[in-house]
Amino acid sequence: MSQPLDPEIFTDCSHATSPLRLGGKWTAKIIRCLEDGPRRFSELEVPLRGITPKVLTETLRSMERDGLLTRTVGGGVPPRVDYELSVLGRTLLAPMAACCAWAAEHLPELEGARESYGGPARSSAS
């Protein structure tokens, strides 16, 4: 039998909740889109097929609030708005690359496990 979980397991964490919101559907994809430099809103919509303008706006605001990207408003009519990864946001590129490599290596196992489980994939909220 395994040992019970230590009630102080998170004592060394200085924060009450996770500071990163990378679990959302779009955040990691937006980081990837901004990897090579600044992009405009309309440029981001192209590879992010299926995202609504409202959700893209909310996600970009959340990422800006977390310090993962910067939003720069330039001149012109309408004003030019560019989104770019911040220095902090760029630190996520290496861990994300590691996750992608892991997924590429283990995707057949994941798909097999899901198939064996039966039925459609379920979210953790189900």
Side-chain angles (χ1 to χ4, degrees), residues 3-26:
Q3 296 292 323
L5 286 172
D6 178 358
E8 304 301 319
I9 194 169
F10 298 111
T11 300
D12 293 336
C13 295
S14 62
H15 50 275
T17 60
S18 176
L20 294 175
R21 295 183 197 107
L22 293 179
K25 180 176 181 179
W26 301 106

Side-chain angles (χ1 to χ4, degrees), residues 106-118:
H106 297 285
L107 186 59
E109 294 168 74
L110 284 170
E111 290 172 338
R114 289 175 180 165
E115 222 173 273
S116 296
Y117 185 75

Side-chain angles (χ1 to χ4, degrees), residues 26-93:
W26 301 106
T27 303
K29 291 179 179 182
I30 291 170
I31 290 171
R32 184 67 192 263
C33 289
L34 297 174
E35 184 173 3
D36 292 330
R39 299 287 179 177
R40 297 182 77 173
F41 189 94
S42 59
E43 289 178 285
L44 294 171
E45 288 179 302
V46 174
L48 299 174
R49 291 180 292 280
I51 194 170
T52 65
K54 178 182 184 239
V55 171
L56 179 54
T57 298
E58 290 170 351
T59 306
L60 289 168
R61 284 181 184 159
S62 174
M63 292 174 70
E64 183 180 14
R65 181 180 53 247
D66 287 346
L68 300 178
L69 60 80
T70 58
R71 179 179 182 269
T72 305
V73 180
V77 177
R80 179 181 176 97
V81 179
D82 289 304
Y83 298 92
E84 184 172 14
L85 287 178
S86 66
V87 172
L88 178 63
R90 295 195 76 73
T91 65
L92 292 168
L93 293 174

